[in-house]
């Protein structure tokens, strides 16, 4: 199994509060991603990173920001949480240069915004 | 706009029979396709993939078929086992987008003992 951990695994927060989710990898992979999974939508890319301090937006980036100051850590921040951001969040990693485009996923964080 | 579609939200199959999961895509620029399996409370795990230069890839009980003209791929599981019960996602990539994947909405497979 790829060495990917996510913290916290579960969180309940109130509308309007900031929330930060952490993804940590031990594989030294260059690429890291944040997805959200919602019923009827599958997995949708929020933000991704292609190196330290190099990040870009995915298809559902509004209301989210990310930071990557070290290869192993990728942080997702909800600046002011809303109920629409209640979801399961997955971090993934991949290695640049391979032709397979496989991504390896963490165990997920279930976030509930009340 | 859903570029990768899995039109069957669920599928139920008898143990030992074949499971066929389908996936359609609209973007002809996709050139690599993957299938992931997801158990409850776990992250998706990679299952099998296929490049657009091939029409079939096999790995044990799992075979993926690609029909580029129809923009359709399918995952065959033979024989199906109860442990295969999970949600299956197809995903697609195009080289110009780097390593980003576009996922379908998933199909929940239930294998009956």
């Amino acid at each position: 199994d790829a060495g990917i951990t996510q913290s916290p695994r579960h969180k309940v927060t109130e509308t309007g509060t900031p929330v930060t989710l952490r993804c940590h990898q031990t594989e030294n992979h260059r690429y890291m991603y944040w997805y959200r999974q919602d019923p009827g939508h599958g997995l949708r890319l929020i933000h991704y990173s292609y190196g330290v301090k190099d990040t870009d937006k995915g298809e559902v980036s509004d209301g989210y920001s990310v930071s990557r100051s070290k290869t192993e850590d990728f942080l997702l921040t909800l600046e002011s949480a809303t109920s629409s951001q209640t979801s399961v969040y997955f971090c993934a990693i991949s290695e640049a240069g391979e032709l397979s485009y496989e991504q390896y996923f963490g165990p997920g964080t279930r976030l509930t915004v009340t | 706009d859903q570029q990768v579609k899995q039109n069957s939200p669920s599928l139920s199959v008898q143990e030992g029979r074949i499971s066929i999961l389908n996936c359609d895509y609209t973007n002809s620029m996709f050139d690599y396709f993957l299938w992931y399996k997801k158990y409850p409370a776990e992250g998706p795990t990679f299952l099998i993939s296929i490049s657009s230069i091939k029409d079939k890839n096999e790995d044990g009980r799992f075979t993926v078929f690609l029909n580029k003209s129809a923009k359709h791929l399918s995952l065959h599981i033979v024989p199906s086992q109860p442990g295969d019960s999970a949600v299956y996602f197809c995903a697609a990539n195009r080289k110009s987008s780097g390593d980003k994947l576009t996922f379908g909405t998933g199909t929940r497979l239930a294998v009956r003992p």
Side-chain angles (χ1 to χ4, degrees):
Chain A
D1 291 342
I4 311 169
T5 56
Q6 293 185 231
S7 59
R9 293 293 314 279
H10 302 270
K11 186 170 182 66
V12 180
T13 191
E14 294 184 349
T15 298
T17 60
V19 177
T20 295
L21 309 182
R22 180 181 183 237
C23 176
H24 179 78
Q25 61 148 329
T26 58
E27 306 296 319
N28 203 35
H29 281 8
R30 178 182 172 189
Y31 286 78
M32 299 185 76
Y33 312 81
W34 276 108
Y35 292 89
R36 59 178 291 174
Q37 184 197 2
D38 304 288
H41 291 280
L43 290 152
R44 292 181 292 174
L45 183 65
I46 305 171
H47 281 281
Y48 67 101
S49 170
Y50 43 94
V52 173
K53 299 192 189 305
D54 291 323
T55 65
D56 206 348
K57 297 179 179 180
E59 64 175 299
V60 290
S61 60
D62 287 349
Y64 301 95
S65 63
V66 289
S67 66
R68 191 169 179 199
S69 59
K70 298 185 291 185
T71 299
E72 57 266 36
D73 289 325
F74 193 31
L75 303 180
L76 177 71
T77 297
L78 289 65
E79 304 291 347
S80 177
T82 67
S83 58
S84 65
Q85 294 175 312
T86 292
S87 186
V88 181
Y89 291 85
F90 290 101
C91 174
I93 64 175
S94 69
E95 183 55 54
E98 294 185 6
L99 300 178
S100 62
Y101 305 108
E102 294 170 26
Q103 295 181 12
Y104 302 93
F105 285 80
T109 294
R110 181 173 294 276
L111 176 67
T112 302
V113 183
T114 60
Chain B
D1 177 32
Q2 191 75 30
Q3 297 187 64
V4 179
K5 303 177 183 179
Q6 294 176 257
N7 292 318
S8 297
S10 63
L11 175 68
S12 181
V13 171
Q14 190 75 37
E15 181 179 5
R17 306 295 292 268
I18 184 172
S19 294
I20 300 176
L21 296 95
N22 295 303
C23 181
D24 297 296
Y25 60 96
T26 58
N27 190 338
S28 58
M29 300 299 290
F30 287 139
D31 47 25
Y32 203 85
F33 304 89
L34 307 89
W35 284 95
Y36 281 81
K37 179 169 72 173
K38 185 185 178 306
Y39 292 120
E42 295 183 10
T45 56
F46 169 75
L47 195 57
I48 192 169
S49 61
I50 187 168
S51 165
S52 61
I53 63 173
K54 297 184 177 181
D55 54 19
K56 176 183 175 182
N57 189 27
E58 191 171 356
D59 183 2
R61 296 186 297 113
F62 303 91
T63 303
V64 56
F65 295 93
L66 176 62
N67 183 334
K68 289 188 294 293
S69 61
K71 295 191 181 68
H72 177 84
L73 65 154
S74 60
L75 175 67
H76 293 211
I77 306 173
V78 183
S80 301
Q81 299 174 354
D84 296 329
S85 297
V87 177
Y88 290 79
F89 293 98
C90 66
N93 171 275
R94 54 189 173 98
K95 289 178 185 171
S96 60
S97 73
D99 278 19
K100 292 192 290 184
L101 296 178
T102 301
F103 283 84
T105 53
T107 296
R108 182 178 303 277
L109 173 65
V111 180
R112 307 186 305 273

